[in-house]
Amino acid sequence: MHVAPARFPTKYWHQLPDGRLQCDVCPRECKLKEGQRGLCFVRAREGDMVVLDTYGRSSGFCVDPIEKKPLNHFLPGTPILSFGTAGCNLSCRFCQNWDMSKSREIDTLADAASPEAIAAKAKELGCRSVAYTYNDPVIFLEYARDTAIACRELGIKSVAVTAGYVSPGAREDFFAEMDAANVDLKAFTDDFYHRLCAGHLQPVLDTLLYLKRETDVWFELTTLLIPGENDSKSELETMTQWVVDNLGPDVPMHFTAYHPDFKLLDRPSTPPATLSRARDIALHNGVRYAYTGNVYDEAGESTYCHNCGEVVIERNWYVLGGWHLDEEGCCRFCGARCAGVFEPRPGTWGARRLPVRIAGAAP
Ligand code: SF4
Ligand SMILES: [Zn+2]
């Protein structure tokens, strides 16, 4: 199915004295002459404005367990309708989703859907939330935001899966409509961000501080550990101490396994012991909820009460086992509150992955 590109006028740009238009969505600050596209490839100059090419266009919809985002403390066990578009504003050499994020084939975005159609489909499918994921939603901010607004009207929550590489004005508008986020904290050195992602660390830290200080968005962090690049003891010590000192002990951290992909093929897959060691460092430094991911590790995937140490949510891949939280989200053993957004009972979606079509509902 061929769908004409949806050019959507945007407001996050300003004109420079030399006549170029500077995009203000992310710290790349692309400066565009007529006909040029930004690094993300989906924002382009057309005449006297910058347009978004992927409004209303998706690379596909799928119902996933929310644990796959990963979020372990936000409506556990519930299904989430997930979608992305094309392009990305970081250039990670190790990208694990590069077929979509590096896509320049906007015409392959065949599944057209209006924000209202997405919200209605989520409700029809029994999803409690919608995820803006696969590629970074800050680059399709207007589409994600309008979808989140449509979802909110139907009682559906919104979850951003993002690298947090976004500029202040766009950051506020984007997160104003989000209920939860998983933010990639890819490493804790600017050298890593610069060398492997062509970006910088500080804007990501600024986003995390913003989320903590200025919003009610529930957020969790994910770090893909790449052997020899971001898995040293000292880096993980510094990172986890920063998290506790600046974001508090209740922000969950996920340490996930890297597999050789895209342009970074000469590093081995992450040994499970590296993930467990990172988790131990986080816990030792005061992070209350630390997880391993992308490996079989029931102990590292389950949630423990920060007060008495008992398992309060058992997980095996994306399937929940024992549930020992009361209706208020407190530990049944000692009564301490588990941080997060919980309902009286967990969802029962399990590990299923259900591809969904919404085509034909274009705006
Ligand atoms: S959102 Fe895209 S066009 Fe805008 S500054 Fe970032 S990479 Fe450049
Ligand atoms: Zn307890």
PDB file of all heavy atoms in Angstrom, residues 177-192:
ATOM      1  N   GLU A 177       2.357  15.448  27.837  1.00  0.00           N
ATOM      2  CA  GLU A 177       1.267  14.515  27.513  1.00  0.00           C
ATOM      3  C   GLU A 177       1.624  13.070  27.822  1.00  0.00           C
ATOM      4  O   GLU A 177       0.833  12.163  27.547  1.00  0.00           O
ATOM      5  CB  GLU A 177       0.907  14.649  26.025  1.00  0.00           C
ATOM      6  CG  GLU A 177       0.573  16.061  25.573  1.00  0.00           C
ATOM      7  CD  GLU A 177      -0.545  16.698  26.376  1.00  0.00           C
ATOM      8  OE1 GLU A 177      -1.370  15.955  26.956  1.00  0.00           O
ATOM      9  OE2 GLU A 177      -0.578  17.943  26.455  1.00  0.00           O
ATOM     10  N   MET A 178       2.808  12.832  28.366  1.00  0.00           N
ATOM     11  CA  MET A 178       3.227  11.451  28.659  1.00  0.00           C
ATOM     12  C   MET A 178       2.935  11.089  30.113  1.00  0.00           C
ATOM     13  O   MET A 178       3.016  11.936  30.996  1.00  0.00           O
ATOM     14  CB  MET A 178       4.734  11.282  28.394  1.00  0.00           C
ATOM     15  CG  MET A 178       5.115  11.470  26.947  1.00  0.00           C
ATOM     16  SD  MET A 178       4.411  10.203  25.873  1.00  0.00           S
ATOM     17  CE  MET A 178       4.037  11.186  24.404  1.00  0.00           C
ATOM     18  N   ASP A 179       2.605   9.843  30.341  1.00  0.00           N
ATOM     19  CA  ASP A 179       2.376   9.351  31.703  1.00  0.00           C
ATOM     20  C   ASP A 179       3.590   8.604  32.229  1.00  0.00           C
ATOM     21  O   ASP A 179       3.794   8.525  33.443  1.00  0.00           O
ATOM     22  CB  ASP A 179       1.167   8.412  31.707  1.00  0.00           C
ATOM     23  CG  ASP A 179      -0.084   9.137  31.255  1.00  0.00           C
ATOM     24  OD1 ASP A 179      -0.606   9.951  32.034  1.00  0.00           O
ATOM     25  OD2 ASP A 179      -0.529   8.932  30.102  1.00  0.00           O
ATOM     26  N   ALA A 180       4.344   7.996  31.331  1.00  0.00           N
ATOM     27  CA  ALA A 180       5.516   7.225  31.749  1.00  0.00           C
ATOM     28  C   ALA A 180       6.545   7.259  30.626  1.00  0.00           C
ATOM     29  O   ALA A 180       6.221   7.569  29.475  1.00  0.00           O
ATOM     30  CB  ALA A 180       5.125   5.777  32.063  1.00  0.00           C
ATOM     31  N   ALA A 181       7.773   6.935  31.001  1.00  0.00           N
ATOM     32  CA  ALA A 181       8.846   6.904  30.001  1.00  0.00           C
ATOM     33  C   ALA A 181       9.893   5.895  30.409  1.00  0.00           C
ATOM     34  O   ALA A 181      10.121   5.650  31.597  1.00  0.00           O
ATOM     35  CB  ALA A 181       9.501   8.285  29.862  1.00  0.00           C
ATOM     36  N   ASN A 182      10.499   5.288  29.408  1.00  0.00           N
ATOM     37  CA  ASN A 182      11.757   4.604  29.642  1.00  0.00           C
ATOM     38  C   ASN A 182      12.807   5.408  28.897  1.00  0.00           C
ATOM     39  O   ASN A 182      12.683   5.623  27.686  1.00  0.00           O
ATOM     40  CB  ASN A 182      11.746   3.152  29.154  1.00  0.00           C
ATOM     41  CG  ASN A 182      13.038   2.482  29.595  1.00  0.00           C
ATOM     42  OD1 ASN A 182      14.110   2.808  29.096  1.00  0.00           O
ATOM     43  ND2 ASN A 182      12.941   1.596  30.568  1.00  0.00           N
ATOM     44  N   VAL A 183      13.798   5.885  29.620  1.00  0.00           N
ATOM     45  CA  VAL A 183      14.833   6.716  29.010  1.00  0.00           C
ATOM     46  C   VAL A 183      16.132   5.926  28.961  1.00  0.00           C
ATOM     47  O   VAL A 183      16.571   5.370  29.960  1.00  0.00           O
ATOM     48  CB  VAL A 183      15.047   8.021  29.812  1.00  0.00           C
ATOM     49  CG1 VAL A 183      16.073   8.908  29.108  1.00  0.00           C
ATOM     50  CG2 VAL A 183      13.728   8.768  29.992  1.00  0.00           C
ATOM     51  N   ASP A 184      16.727   5.885  27.789  1.00  0.00           N
ATOM     52  CA  ASP A 184      18.046   5.273  27.627  1.00  0.00           C
ATOM     53  C   ASP A 184      19.089   6.180  28.244  1.00  0.00           C
ATOM     54  O   ASP A 184      19.204   7.341  27.842  1.00  0.00           O
ATOM     55  CB  ASP A 184      18.381   5.214  26.125  1.00  0.00           C
ATOM     56  CG  ASP A 184      18.165   3.855  25.526  1.00  0.00           C
ATOM     57  OD1 ASP A 184      17.784   2.923  26.252  1.00  0.00           O
ATOM     58  OD2 ASP A 184      18.374   3.750  24.305  1.00  0.00           O
ATOM     59  N   LEU A 185      19.832   5.647  29.195  1.00  0.00           N
ATOM     60  CA  LEU A 185      21.039   6.346  29.635  1.00  0.00           C
ATOM     61  C   LEU A 185      22.160   5.473  29.088  1.00  0.00           C
ATOM     62  O   LEU A 185      22.533   4.467  29.686  1.00  0.00           O
ATOM     63  CB  LEU A 185      21.060   6.448  31.163  1.00  0.00           C
ATOM     64  CG  LEU A 185      22.255   7.160  31.794  1.00  0.00           C
ATOM     65  CD1 LEU A 185      22.440   8.554  31.217  1.00  0.00           C
ATOM     66  CD2 LEU A 185      22.091   7.244  33.317  1.00  0.00           C
ATOM     67  N   LYS A 186      22.652   5.834  27.912  1.00  0.00           N
ATOM     68  CA  LYS A 186      23.458   4.887  27.129  1.00  0.00           C
ATOM     69  C   LYS A 186      24.827   4.623  27.729  1.00  0.00           C
ATOM     70  O   LYS A 186      25.449   3.606  27.440  1.00  0.00           O
ATOM     71  CB  LYS A 186      23.607   5.400  25.693  1.00  0.00           C
ATOM     72  CG  LYS A 186      22.273   5.407  24.948  1.00  0.00           C
ATOM     73  CD  LYS A 186      22.404   6.013  23.577  1.00  0.00           C
ATOM     74  CE  LYS A 186      21.054   6.169  22.902  1.00  0.00           C
ATOM     75  NZ  LYS A 186      20.486   4.894  22.425  1.00  0.00           N
ATOM     76  N   ALA A 187      25.308   5.560  28.520  1.00  0.00           N
ATOM     77  CA  ALA A 187      26.628   5.454  29.135  1.00  0.00           C
ATOM     78  C   ALA A 187      26.739   6.629  30.086  1.00  0.00           C
ATOM     79  O   ALA A 187      25.801   7.432  30.194  1.00  0.00           O
ATOM     80  CB  ALA A 187      27.721   5.521  28.075  1.00  0.00           C
ATOM     81  N   PHE A 188      27.897   6.746  30.742  1.00  0.00           N
ATOM     82  CA  PHE A 188      28.037   7.909  31.625  1.00  0.00           C
ATOM     83  C   PHE A 188      29.294   8.709  31.290  1.00  0.00           C
ATOM     84  O   PHE A 188      29.872   9.362  32.140  1.00  0.00           O
ATOM     85  CB  PHE A 188      28.020   7.469  33.094  1.00  0.00           C
ATOM     86  CG  PHE A 188      27.428   8.526  33.977  1.00  0.00           C
ATOM     87  CD1 PHE A 188      26.094   8.888  33.844  1.00  0.00           C
ATOM     88  CD2 PHE A 188      28.202   9.187  34.925  1.00  0.00           C
ATOM     89  CE1 PHE A 188      25.534   9.880  34.632  1.00  0.00           C
ATOM     90  CE2 PHE A 188      27.655  10.185  35.716  1.00  0.00           C
ATOM     91  CZ  PHE A 188      26.325  10.531  35.572  1.00  0.00           C
ATOM     92  N   THR A 189      29.707   8.620  30.033  1.00  0.00           N
ATOM     93  CA  THR A 189      30.822   9.470  29.590  1.00  0.00           C
ATOM     94  C   THR A 189      30.412  10.192  28.312  1.00  0.00           C
ATOM     95  O   THR A 189      29.716   9.625  27.465  1.00  0.00           O
ATOM     96  CB  THR A 189      32.090   8.641  29.275  1.00  0.00           C
ATOM     97  OG1 THR A 189      31.793   7.736  28.203  1.00  0.00           O
ATOM     98  CG2 THR A 189      32.574   7.870  30.500  1.00  0.00           C
ATOM     99  N   ASP A 190      30.865  11.428  28.211  1.00  0.00           N
ATOM    100  CA  ASP A 190      30.576  12.163  26.982  1.00  0.00           C
ATOM    101  C   ASP A 190      31.316  11.528  25.809  1.00  0.00           C
ATOM    102  O   ASP A 190      30.839  11.560  24.676  1.00  0.00           O
ATOM    103  CB  ASP A 190      30.966  13.637  27.130  1.00  0.00           C
ATOM    104  CG  ASP A 190      30.276  14.475  26.069  1.00  0.00           C
ATOM    105  OD1 ASP A 190      29.030  14.473  26.041  1.00  0.00           O
ATOM    106  OD2 ASP A 190      30.976  15.083  25.238  1.00  0.00           O
ATOM    107  N   ASP A 191      32.471  10.932  26.122  1.00  0.00           N
ATOM    108  CA  ASP A 191      33.250  10.273  25.064  1.00  0.00           C
ATOM    109  C   ASP A 191      32.422   9.198  24.367  1.00  0.00           C
ATOM    110  O   ASP A 191      32.412   9.097  23.140  1.00  0.00           O
ATOM    111  CB  ASP A 191      34.515   9.650  25.685  1.00  0.00           C
ATOM    112  CG  ASP A 191      35.274   8.823  24.661  1.00  0.00           C
ATOM    113  OD1 ASP A 191      35.777   9.425  23.697  1.00  0.00           O
ATOM    114  OD2 ASP A 191      35.342   7.583  24.817  1.00  0.00           O
ATOM    115  N   PHE A 192      31.695   8.376  25.140  1.00  0.00           N
ATOM    116  CA  PHE A 192      30.857   7.325  24.555  1.00  0.00           C
ATOM    117  C   PHE A 192      29.783   7.960  23.663  1.00  0.00           C
ATOM    118  O   PHE A 192      29.600   7.549  22.503  1.00  0.00           O
ATOM    119  CB  PHE A 192      30.198   6.515  25.679  1.00  0.00           C
ATOM    120  CG  PHE A 192      29.301   5.404  25.205  1.00  0.00           C
ATOM    121  CD1 PHE A 192      29.737   4.084  25.240  1.00  0.00           C
ATOM    122  CD2 PHE A 192      28.018   5.659  24.725  1.00  0.00           C
ATOM    123  CE1 PHE A 192      28.912   3.052  24.807  1.00  0.00           C
ATOM    124  CE2 PHE A 192      27.186   4.633  24.291  1.00  0.00           C
ATOM    125  CZ  PHE A 192      27.636   3.327  24.336  1.00  0.00           C
TER     126      PHE A 192
END
